[in-house]
Amino acid sequence: MTRARRLVLILAFVVFAWNAWGYDLWAPDEPYFAEGAREMLADGQWLVPHVNGVVTTDKPPLFFWLIALCSAPFGGVASLTARIPSILAGLGTVWLTMRLGRRLGGERTGVVAGIVMATSYLLWDKARSAQIDSLLCFLVLAAISAFEAWRAGDLDGRRAGWIFWIAGGLATIAKGPVGFLLPLGAALVVLAFDRDLKSWRRFAPFTGPLLCLAVIALWALPAELWGGEYSLFGALKTHFFNRALHGMHHKNPPWYYVGAIAAQFMPWTPLLPGAVLLAWRRRAAKLDRLLLLWPLFVVLFFTLSGERRDLYVLPAYPALALLVARLASRAAGWDEGEGRESVSTRWTTWGCGVAGAFFLIAGLAAPLVARRQAEALYHPALAVGFVAAATGVCALVAAFRARPRAAFWAVAGGVSAVFVVAVSLLYPPLDAVKSARSFAVAARAETEKYRAAGGEVLAFDLSNVPEALSYYGRGFYTKETDDAQALAAHLGRAEEAFAVVSWRDAQRALPPELLSRLTILERRDLSKMDVALVVNRPAAPGAAR
């Protein structure tokens, strides 16, 4: 590995890992995965994940296993240990992106691709979050990298096919069938446009899928046989087929990903039009066809699904980073690839200028927006805004002077500084509005005697909040329901009963007579909901409700 690529990995490590220990795990997803790993360590039930004290079929176990393994040497799951698998997967993604970039346009293009990948917002955010998508992106990229190495003649079909299918199998026990469908679909579409589908017969057509099935079966068969309540068929039906056909939680419009990618690929989004234009002019080249078809397939795959969420298309982002790297490298005179097709350097300088204008406006607006949210966020946001505005000014100056190299480095260096300052100063005080820790600790203490006597705390219409309560409450388990009648029966009993509820929904669901008997013990805004711990006894005279 060259010195330049090592420096890019160091940059990526800094922006992904810095202060990952300095703030809590935030909903919607981080407490869910952390709690599953915590319960593995606490209860020894490693075969199938348990969250909030019950079997969960939402996700297969690989990511839970990785968090638990990273956390075990430190005595338990914490913010940093829960994020280590994502950090490492993010570094792997940057490394593989640089390898593909070197094939695309030489060593310096590979370095630029790594920088673009490390500083694109969505990968940065997921690579420092206890969420599964950084790992999925790495495994899908590993599969596609093996496919491209075979397609380019750098790796024989058997070995490349084995890597491809093993990566697909691991991705499947990380996030379900989408783990192998994404690389498989992208590879077949590329070969179809190559008019070379017959060559698939040389890509480990039998041993590869068998290896993939073996990787999956090593977990799936024991889980089905000895996983207690776990049902592999039920998990596939609910979380794959039903999600794909009908959607569950994220029913966004078909055009959703246009805006999502535009926002989440910043600061490099303004360079994408020129990058796509350049690749289109070079579409006769095999690698350029891959870079056009791979993200197109991923986006269309999830567009046709009933469930659409911005982070689902993260596996397309390495291709976008490679497209932008080719454009920026050609504008800067760094590209060593074959072919003379080019586009004006203004696509790069103006693109960086647009990114600079965005940072300037965002930097000026940040402290004003933060003050409206919470006074404690004003000064941290002022520091972040200053760095962002300075980045914007530098990028705009370089763009107006038509200096593509300076414009690129201004954006890349500036966004890296913004990321580091934001996680150092702004993220820790955000715990006050994004973390469930204080509510969970208080709720556990309030209900301790009740639960010790065998009482059950109901969680009504709370989406992902119960996972956060069980994680920060260290075993404060609740019984989840969205049945208003069950809630009314639970709180309407003569004996004492507790529930954690969405207070707005509870006021609609419960009769006035029952509401008058409830006392609110704790109340917080969590995951954009007004969450309250209530008990079915009237407040003492003069006490606040």
Side-chain angles (χ1 to χ4, degrees):
M1 185 185 297
T2 65
R3 180 173 178 269
R5 278 193 277 170
R6 285 196 295 270
L7 290 174
V8 173
L9 287 176
I10 292 171
L11 168 70
F13 178 75
V14 171
V15 297
F16 294 164
W18 182 255
N19 206 34
W21 57 88
Y23 53 97
D24 286 343
L25 300 171
W26 296 340
D29 297 321
E30 286 193 299
Y32 169 78
F33 290 109
E35 174 60 11
R38 188 197 69 80
E39 292 190 32
M40 284 180 175
L41 293 174
D43 304 332
Q45 300 186 57
W46 289 69
L47 187 56
V48 295
H50 290 67
V51 176
N52 195 26
V54 297
V55 169
T56 177
T57 59
D58 283 12
K59 295 292 184 292
L62 180 59
F63 194 59
F64 299 96
W65 289 342
L66 293 175
I67 293 176
L69 290 172
C70 290
S71 302
F74 301 95
V77 181
S79 294
L80 177 60
T81 62
R83 290 165 176 150
I84 287 174
S86 293
I87 293 169
L88 296 178
L91 292 174
T93 297
V94 172
W95 174 64
L96 288 175
T97 303
M98 287 193 289
R99 285 175 59 89
L100 279 174
R102 182 179 60 179
R103 179 178 288 119
L104 179 68
E107 181 64 31
R108 287 185 287 186
T109 299
V111 168
V112 172
I115 292 171
V116 171
M117 194 72 244
T119 54
S120 60
Y121 173 76
L122 187 60
L123 180 70
W124 169 78
D125 182 56
K126 301 311 165 193
R128 57 179 300 113
S129 300
Q131 289 178 273
I132 206 167
D133 299 277
S134 178
L135 176 63
L136 178 68
C137 182
F138 168 68
L139 292 171
V140 170
L141 179 56
I144 290 178
S145 295
F147 167 73
E148 176 55 29
W150 164 72
R151 187 164 163 261
D154 296 338
L155 198 61
D156 67 86
R158 177 181 294 179
R159 285 189 294 171
W162 287 355
I163 294 171
F164 178 93
W165 285 105
I166 290 172
L170 291 172
T172 300
I173 61 172
K175 200 170 182 176
V178 70
F180 76 86
L181 288 176
L182 289 180
L184 178 61
L188 290 175
V189 167
V190 168
L191 288 179
F193 274 83
D194 287 348
R195 299 181 180 179
D196 194 22
L197 275 172
K198 291 182 180 180
S199 66
W200 189 256
R201 293 177 295 184
R202 303 193 303 272
F203 195 61
F206 301 110
T207 56
L210 286 175
L211 278 172
C212 180
L213 287 173
V215 169
I216 298 168
L218 283 173
W219 162 73
L221 289 179
E224 186 68 25
L225 293 173
W226 303 299
E229 302 171 18
Y230 189 86
S231 168
L232 188 63
F233 175 76
L236 286 172
K237 179 182 177 182
T238 302
H239 299 290
F240 180 67
F241 293 110
N242 287 352
R243 278 179 185 265
L245 294 175
H246 310 296
M248 291 179 68
H249 308 297
H250 308 284
K251 297 181 180 181
N252 290 302
W255 56 87
Y256 170 73
Y257 286 115
V258 175
I261 292 173
Q264 305 283 9
F265 193 59
M266 287 296 288
W268 306 110
T269 306
L271 279 71
L272 270 179
V276 172
L277 176 61
L278 177 57
W280 177 255
R281 290 179 177 176
R282 289 182 46 84
R283 64 190 180 277
K286 295 177 75 172
L287 185 51
D288 286 86
R289 282 202 301 278
L290 173 72
L291 296 182
L292 289 170
L293 293 170
W294 160 16
L296 182 62
F297 174 80
V298 173
V299 172
L300 286 177
F301 180 90
F302 288 110
T303 296
L304 294 175
S305 167
E307 188 92 349
R308 303 181 187 98
R309 194 178 175 192
D310 53 3
L311 50 78
Y312 290 171
V313 295
L314 182 58
Y317 279 48
L320 303 183
L322 288 160
L323 290 171
V324 168
R326 158 70 67 75
L327 177 74
S329 296
R330 289 223 163 178
W334 296 329
D335 185 71
E336 301 165 13
E338 297 178 357
R340 296 297 177 186
E341 299 87 349
S342 188
V343 294
S344 170
T345 59
R346 286 179 290 185
W347 284 103
T348 299
T349 52
W350 289 3
C352 290
V354 171
F358 168 80
F359 275 106
L360 179 58
I361 295 169
L364 295 174
L368 304 177
V369 174
R371 174 169 272 176
R372 295 180 65 180
Q373 299 297 317
E375 187 64 32
L377 300 178
Y378 175 72
H379 288 100
L382 192 64
V384 174
F386 175 80
V387 177
T391 298
V393 170
C394 292
L396 283 168
V397 169
F400 280 120
R401 293 184 177 180
R403 297 173 60 184
R405 292 188 186 186
F408 173 82
W409 289 118
V411 173
V415 73
S416 300
V418 169
F419 287 161
V420 170
V421 174
V423 299
S424 299
L425 302 179
L426 185 59
Y427 276 37
L430 278 172
D431 274 346
V433 294
K434 294 179 74 70
S435 173
R437 180 191 294 273
S438 61
F439 184 94
V441 171
R444 176 178 178 170
E446 290 278 6
T447 61
E448 188 168 4
K449 291 181 180 179
Y450 168 77
R451 290 182 293 109
E456 201 169 52
V457 179
L458 228 59
F460 174 68
D461 205 17
L462 288 180
S463 183
N464 48 44
V465 170
E467 293 94 330
L469 300 182
S470 57
Y471 173 70
Y472 284 112
R474 289 299 188 260
F476 171 50
Y477 299 146
T478 56
K479 182 179 180 181
E480 300 180 52
T481 183
D482 57 4
D483 185 345
Q485 291 183 344
L487 177 66
H490 177 74
L491 293 174
R493 296 181 301 180
E495 61 270 22
E496 184 178 59
F498 291 82
V500 184
V501 301
S502 165
W503 184 240
R504 184 180 63 179
D505 293 340
Q507 287 178 302
R508 295 174 183 164
L510 297 177
E513 182 276 330
L514 181 53
L515 284 170
S516 68
R517 294 172 49 202
L518 301 183
T519 298
I520 298 176
L521 302 175
E522 297 289 337
R523 192 171 178 181
R524 275 283 308 276
D525 286 332
L526 297 174
S527 296
K528 300 179 181 179
M529 288 187 290
D530 183 8
V531 179
L533 172 68
V534 300
V535 63
N536 62 347
R537 61 172 183 257
R545 282 185 54 84

